[in-house]
Amino acid sequence: MKKHLTYLATTALLASPVLAQDLTVTSFGGAYGAAQMEHMIEPYMKESGTNVLFEDYGGGVAEMKAQVEAGNILWDVVDIEVIDLERACAEGYLEVIDQSVLPDGDDGTAAADDFIEDALANECGVGNIVWSVVFAVNTENGEGPKTIEDFFDTEAFPGKRGLRKRPQVNMEWALLADGVAPEEVYEVLATEEGQAQAFAKLDTIKDEITWYDSWSQAPVLLNDGGATMVQSANGRIFAAIKDDGAPFEIVWDSHIYDLDVWAIMKGTEKKEEAMEFIKFATGTVPLSGMQDVAYGPTRASAQALLPEEVKKDLPTAHLDEGVKADGIFWADYGESLGEKFNEWLLQ
């Protein structure tokens, strides 16, 4: 997908009469990246004449940290999950963004009022989408799990569970499945006892976990039988159902919802050009295009453009069934829990 998207970006520019310097934009690939290509990147290249090199990565802060510490900045703009944003900003991997220069919504609403809550909460980012981590099942396998407790019940629901190889979300799910109230998850997880409880619950399914690194692998595992249920970004499963006719079902119980933002890599020599891209990509119409993969836009003016039949498939229609990811918690505990998680994997 990485080569495919870069090829699309480069060849699309050939029709442009103006050639400008390259801007490297990094995101998550798959159907999500394809939607960004169609609604943000290709229109921006056409309007600005800037050649966008579109790369993909698996998320997290490790690659950003490595680039900044080595003084070798390979990316200019990066799409980052808010669950990682607090840490990336606090540790100096991202530039501070002047949010006051963001354009008004197409309906005339000032940007500060048009963006939803949390979209501009961190000085290093501008909200791009509302999305969620759900789990999904293949309906061809018969009656599947309906709750997070079912996901951890290997007797009633045998088979492999596909999980992204990182502590985020997995730790929260373990506590929720073990009876911790949603509003208490992060309070409990901040304690040694709560962390031990989460790992103990993960132990109950450890032998049945198929680990993966990139969201793009989730629907593949579910499709080819590598897992009978998978953790996934909701848009990945939606796209597989919509575009490929996959016999999948999304389970919204205990989903962990969050935002993604566009951010600028610390030390890029193209900070101004990066900001121009972000201003364009977070406009009303580009954001509304993310409905293609069932991610909610972060502007009210963009939400107003969505058909009613689309809104039911967005995370915003299921907030009462989920838990808001706590980026501040993961900024404080991400490194230590990451180390404990890697040690647990080796046990």
Side-chain angles (χ1 to χ4, degrees):
M1 176 58 71
K2 175 179 176 180
K3 292 182 179 178
H4 177 60
L5 290 176
T6 302
Y7 172 77
L8 280 175
T10 304
T11 53
L13 184 68
L14 296 179
S16 174
V18 180
L19 290 176
Q21 62 180 322
D22 292 343
L23 187 73
T24 300
V25 176
T26 304
S27 187
F28 293 90
Y32 179 54
Q36 289 178 321
M37 173 66 72
E38 179 180 353
H39 298 289
M40 298 175 179
I41 290 173
E42 287 183 337
Y44 179 71
M45 288 193 297
K46 184 177 180 181
E47 177 175 295
S48 69
T50 299
N51 184 30
V52 175
L53 302 178
F54 198 22
E55 307 287 342
D56 61 76
Y57 80 130
V61 304
E63 291 174 88
M64 286 176 269
K65 178 181 180 180
Q67 290 181 37
V68 171
E69 291 184 349
N72 182 26
I73 308 302
L74 303 176
W75 305 338
D76 302 308
V77 181
V78 60
D79 182 320
I80 181 172
E81 300 166 20
V82 169
I83 203 169
D84 296 317
L85 176 65
E86 295 285 346
R87 179 183 171 194
C89 186
E91 297 188 8
Y93 308 145
L94 301 172
E95 297 279 358
V96 172
I97 287 177
D98 182 2
Q99 298 173 341
S100 69
V101 303
L102 295 170
D104 295 344
D106 284 5
D107 61 0
T109 304
D113 299 321
D114 196 25
F115 278 97
I116 65 173
E117 186 177 3
D118 294 329
L120 303 179
N122 186 288
E123 63 183 1
C124 290
V126 179
N128 175 18
I129 57 163
V130 180
W131 68 290
S132 189
V133 180
V134 298
F135 73 86
V137 297
N138 189 323
T139 58
E140 291 185 342
N141 297 328
E143 187 70 18
K146 301 297 183 183
T147 67
I148 198 63
E149 290 85 359
D150 292 344
F151 189 93
F152 279 78
D153 188 343
T154 57
E155 291 188 10
F157 301 96
K160 292 291 184 180
R161 279 89 165 128
L163 292 175
R164 195 180 182 197
K165 192 188 292 185
R166 60 184 315 203
Q168 288 88 342
V169 179
N170 294 322
M171 302 289 282
E172 290 97 320
W173 275 7
L175 290 180
L176 289 166
D178 208 37
V180 175
E183 64 274 13
E184 297 177 0
V185 164
Y186 289 106
E187 179 181 346
V188 172
L189 197 54
T191 67
E192 292 287 340
E193 296 78 9
Q195 293 166 20
Q197 180 182 355
F199 281 120
K201 190 64 176 180
L202 286 169
D203 276 334
T204 66
I205 62 170
K206 189 173 185 180
D207 292 340
E208 298 300 327
I209 296 175
T210 298
W211 298 106
Y212 66 83
D213 297 309
S214 172
W215 289 129
S216 61
Q217 296 169 269
V220 175
L221 285 171
L222 197 58
N223 187 63
D224 66 14
T228 59
M229 59 195 82
V230 297
Q231 177 186 89
S232 178
N234 70 287
R236 298 283 181 167
I237 302 302
F238 176 84
I241 297 170
K242 176 185 175 185
D243 299 337
D244 304 326
F248 300 163
E249 180 182 354
I250 292 174
V251 180
W252 290 100
D253 181 66
S254 298
H255 67 102
I256 307 295
Y257 63 92
D258 204 359
L259 277 69
D260 265 28
V261 306
W262 286 117
I264 300 173
M265 282 291 298
K266 184 74 172 182
T268 173
E269 296 180 353
K270 303 170 185 173
K271 183 178 178 179
E272 291 184 8
E273 293 86 348
M275 191 63 211
E276 288 303 309
F277 170 78
I278 290 176
K279 287 163 63 177
F280 180 91
T282 58
T284 296
V285 172
L287 287 179
S288 71
M290 301 314 292
Q291 66 173 297
D292 289 359
V293 282
Y295 294 133
T298 52
R299 279 184 182 262
S301 61
Q303 292 191 50
L305 300 181
L306 304 183
E308 287 300 320
E309 62 269 20
V310 168
K311 293 180 181 179
K312 64 181 176 59
D313 293 316
L314 303 181
T316 45
H318 302 274
L319 297 186
D320 59 340
E321 301 168 66
V323 175
K324 172 68 174 66
D326 190 331
I328 294 176
F329 171 87
W330 284 108
D332 292 339
Y333 292 91
E335 186 170 4
S336 62
L337 278 179
E339 292 173 356
K340 290 182 179 180
F341 182 77
N342 289 331
E343 291 172 0
W344 174 79
L345 287 173
L346 295 175
Q347 293 173 0

